[in-house]
Amino acid sequence: MNTPSIHPAGAADDLPDDDPRRWLSALADGDAAAAQRACSLWRDDASARQAWHTYHLIGDVMRSDELARAPQRDAAFLAGLRARLATEPVVLAPVAPSQKARPRQPWLMPAAAAAGFVVVAGVLVLTRLGQPGVSGPAAVMAGASGAGLTAVSSAAAPVAPARRDAGFIRDPLLDEYLRAHQSAAGGVAAAAPGGTLRRVDVTVPAGASR
Amino acid sequence: MTEPGLKRWLPIATLLSCLLPLGVGAQGNGGALMADARAWLSRIHAAASSGNYEGTMVYSAGGALSSSRVWHYCVGEQVYEKQEALDGRQQRIVRHNDSVHTLWPQARVAVVEKREALGAWSTTPQTVDPQALDQYELRPDGSARVAGREATVFLLEPRDALRYAQRLWADQATGLMLRADVIGPGAERPVIESTAFSEIEIGVKPQPETVLKAIRRIDDYRIVRPRQKRTTLDAEGWALARPVSGFRLAGCLRRGMETAGENEPVLQAVFSDGLTHVSVFLEAYDAQRHRNEMQARQGATATLTRRRGDHWVTVVGDVPPSTLPLFADAIERRR
């Protein structure tokens, strides 16, 4: 930000009308209508992120000296967070075709860590795989689950509405396999835990929405 | 209605709970223990199929929780069973002997299956349980209280890494399984999946009518009848080239899959080690539907999809994910 202004609102006035940073400035002032434009700007433009940071730094300084810390601290935090995210094991590993040796590590990680997002991220991936209408890579990283969620729901809607029950997005195709598996398992050995204590957690077959 | 039932059961329950500690305590030699283990598994099985009980069953895995209401009545040779999901979408499963209705009231869809195709897979406890004990060591693990009842706890410890350990809580009075945990490997022994009755009444008066009522009025439902036909791997031109240790082929079924298109039957081969199961689904490869090979896991159930030439293989099993490739790699086209 080359025109450090005391107040973001001032910055907006100083900026030419066509400067996209106006959206950031407006958002910083609490204008919700600017949110979408500002977010896409924030995503695409590194200098916009810089500007956004500067706006807030200025605001912080105005509010309290305590907040006026060196920006390196935030940068270090962000870098650290990114590094941690990057080393986070990916629980669902789509297998490249014809590649025999897959990394097994994701499965060996402590279940305590895995359990958190195995279910949600896993089901997300399955959904994308199963919907014929959905193109694009199957790999949905845990960190990107938010975006994936929306994409899946909207893309799948015309075929079979993607269900979201208790945090699950289920894939009708794989559901059917799971259902077939469960019903067979119950039939083979009723004494097994699956017999009496079998969960009831299946969704409608895809055809049901017809 | 439950009062007389309980009273009727009380003497038997008391008697059994007195006798049980003797049986569990008989650890003098391995033979006696093994016999005891088998007796317990048979007892669990018998209680599950012949008992009259109503309860609420809670399933949890990976932080997700769901519960369902269960009714199970036995009148002579007739078995009536109903499960109703209490969370999320409405769903009911109604079973009368070999006829299974799965109902989705909101979507007004009913899947009607004859269990006879599957029923033939079902084996008696005498043949199933010894096989399981080849793969698992059954150890008494003390006693505990589950759903307000005293339970005897068992640990089924696998003899190799191909399967999960399981901890079972069996009702001391009746043998009915009250809780089952699937336990992962490693020093921490994490519980991967847990299913338990949170409350249960055992020995209730059978009320088959309440079960059958659920499938009386389904005229306005879209009825789906999956086509199923028993077959053999051999007859379908497939073979498991390298057997997976401890798993035996329990049955093979050619079934129509609702989502796979009406004319594309899928071959399902079920392998069992006596306690847990692995299903191998085989179908023609379809570039439209079969986009990516992947592995997934939900609770203790792992899934693997893989392309094998002109075919698409889906392996679903309540086993560690590393067991699934053994099946996917070993299944081979013979003609």
Side-chain angles (χ1 to χ4, degrees):
Chain A
M1 185 73 189
N2 42 17
T3 54
S5 168
I6 300 301
H7 195 270
D13 293 330
D14 293 343
L15 292 167
D17 277 355
D18 57 343
D19 192 324
R21 277 176 298 179
R22 289 180 62 85
W23 296 108
L24 287 181
S25 182
L27 181 64
D29 286 343
D31 182 0
Q36 192 165 359
R37 296 287 294 270
C39 283
S40 59
L41 189 65
W42 199 89
R43 182 189 62 206
D44 297 327
D45 185 357
S47 74
R49 288 196 285 275
Q50 182 77 42
W52 176 254
H53 188 83
T54 309
Y55 290 154
H56 281 276
L57 186 63
I58 293 165
D60 289 345
V61 171
M62 288 178 69
R63 280 192 292 276
S64 159
D65 286 346
E66 272 295 297
L67 297 167
R69 294 273 178 84
Q72 282 81 2
R73 193 187 56 161
D74 290 355
F77 173 79
L78 259 181
L81 182 67
R82 290 204 180 108
R84 288 274 297 278
L85 272 178
T87 56
E88 236 358 77
V90 179
V91 177
L92 281 144
V95 191
S98 82
Q99 190 186 333
K100 285 279 178 201
R102 294 172 324 286
R104 288 279 165 71
Q105 227 154 351
W107 300 112
L108 300 177
M109 65 189 286
F117 51 98
V118 156
V119 177
V120 175
V123 175
L124 266 174
V125 172
L126 306 191
T127 310
R128 298 201 117 191
L129 290 173
Q131 297 296 344
V134 181
S135 56
V140 180
M141 300 302 172
S145 58
L149 221 78
T150 341
V152 170
S153 316
S154 53
V159 192
R163 304 283 176 196
R164 197 178 173 202
D165 294 341
F168 286 77
I169 287 188
R170 308 297 304 262
D171 164 40
L173 179 64
L174 266 173
D175 261 352
E176 208 174 349
Y177 288 118
L178 280 172
R179 205 171 79 82
H181 168 69
Q182 284 173 7
S183 105
V188 174
T196 30
L197 300 180
R198 180 45 71 174
R199 63 181 174 239
V200 187
D201 181 21
V202 208
T203 53
V204 180
S209 58
R210 270 184 238 138
Chain B
M1 85 195 175
T2 55
E3 293 290 328
L6 268 180
K7 274 181 193 146
R8 192 154 45 90
W9 273 90
L10 217 56
I12 308 169
T14 318
L15 181 68
L16 279 172
S17 55
C18 292
L19 291 173
L20 274 172
L22 298 174
V24 177
Q27 298 177 27
N29 60 61
L33 186 61
M34 188 58 97
D36 187 51
R38 282 167 204 239
W40 256 105
L41 290 181
S42 305
R43 207 161 158 250
I44 290 172
H45 176 81
S49 51
S50 65
N52 286 300
Y53 50 90
E54 302 172 358
T56 305
M57 207 165 68
V58 179
Y59 163 80
S60 77
L65 197 74
S66 64
S67 54
S68 57
R69 183 89 191 145
V70 179
W71 297 259
H72 183 105
Y73 304 124
C74 227
V75 184
E77 296 289 300
Q78 306 281 309
V79 178
Y80 306 87
E81 201 172 38
K82 185 164 90 155
Q83 290 186 315
E84 192 165 309
L86 298 178
D87 303 302
R89 317 193 58 210
Q90 282 188 31
Q91 187 194 0
R92 294 186 194 116
I93 298 177
V94 177
R95 180 168 81 89
H96 178 206
N97 296 332
D98 62 351
S99 157
V100 182
H101 285 65
T102 309
L103 310 173
W104 289 274
Q106 284 156 335
R108 306 211 85 68
V109 172
V111 173
V112 183
E113 285 163 293
K114 269 285 169 195
R115 194 82 181 211
E116 58 191 356
L118 300 171
W121 302 9
S122 164
T123 39
T124 54
Q126 290 92 314
T127 57
V128 170
D129 295 337
Q131 191 205 347
L133 293 176
D134 287 344
Q135 313 305 328
Y136 300 86
E137 192 188 334
L138 186 81
R139 285 194 219 136
D141 198 20
S143 59
R145 211 158 149 264
V146 176
R149 302 183 67 93
E150 291 300 322
T152 304
V153 189
F154 296 97
L155 188 64
L156 278 159
E157 196 72 64
R159 298 180 201 273
D160 57 29
L162 295 179
R163 51 212 110 228
Y164 288 124
Q166 300 201 3
R167 184 172 276 127
L168 312 178
W169 285 253
D171 183 39
Q172 281 190 358
T174 62
L176 191 77
M177 190 147 39
L178 298 176
R179 175 172 168 182
D181 281 7
V182 179
I183 300 164
E188 290 169 22
R189 309 307 314 266
V191 174
I192 301 174
E193 188 178 290
S194 181
T195 321
F197 280 109
S198 60
E199 60 86 16
I200 186 168
E201 282 188 69
I202 304 178
V204 296
K205 182 175 170 232
Q207 295 188 300
E209 212 31 51
T210 61
V211 169
L212 295 178
K213 207 166 63 184
I215 51 172
R216 287 267 160 72
R217 283 181 306 225
I218 55 168
D219 298 339
D220 56 337
Y221 277 57
R222 193 170 79 87
I223 310 278
V224 180
R225 294 177 194 273
R227 285 172 299 140
Q228 295 179 349
K229 186 169 157 266
R230 290 205 77 215
T231 178
T232 62
L233 263 190
D234 193 45
E236 300 289 335
W238 289 92
L240 196 71
R242 294 168 297 282
V244 180
S245 172
F247 282 94
R248 289 194 315 201
L249 183 64
C252 199
L253 199 67
R254 183 158 276 284
R255 59 189 304 153
M257 283 285 198
E258 181 77 5
T259 43
E262 302 294 326
N263 300 315
E264 296 291 334
V266 175
L267 185 66
Q268 180 185 11
V270 179
F271 297 86
S272 165
D273 70 354
L275 183 66
T276 195
H277 303 86
V278 175
S279 289
V280 179
F281 298 91
L282 301 158
E283 62 201 288
Y285 175 71
D286 176 350
Q288 275 297 309
R289 291 190 302 118
H290 304 136
R291 288 178 177 273
N292 292 80
E293 300 190 338
M294 61 99 208
Q295 282 199 338
R297 189 167 76 169
Q298 185 190 335
T301 308
T303 306
L304 168 84
T305 59
R306 184 171 289 186
R307 186 182 171 180
R308 291 289 302 272
D310 294 336
H311 293 89
W312 187 254
V313 183
T314 306
V315 191
V316 183
D318 307 314
V319 290
S322 54
T323 304
L324 299 185
L326 300 179
F327 285 95
D329 292 339
I331 198 92
E332 276 182 7
R333 191 82 181 140
R334 282 291 151 88
R335 57 174 162 79

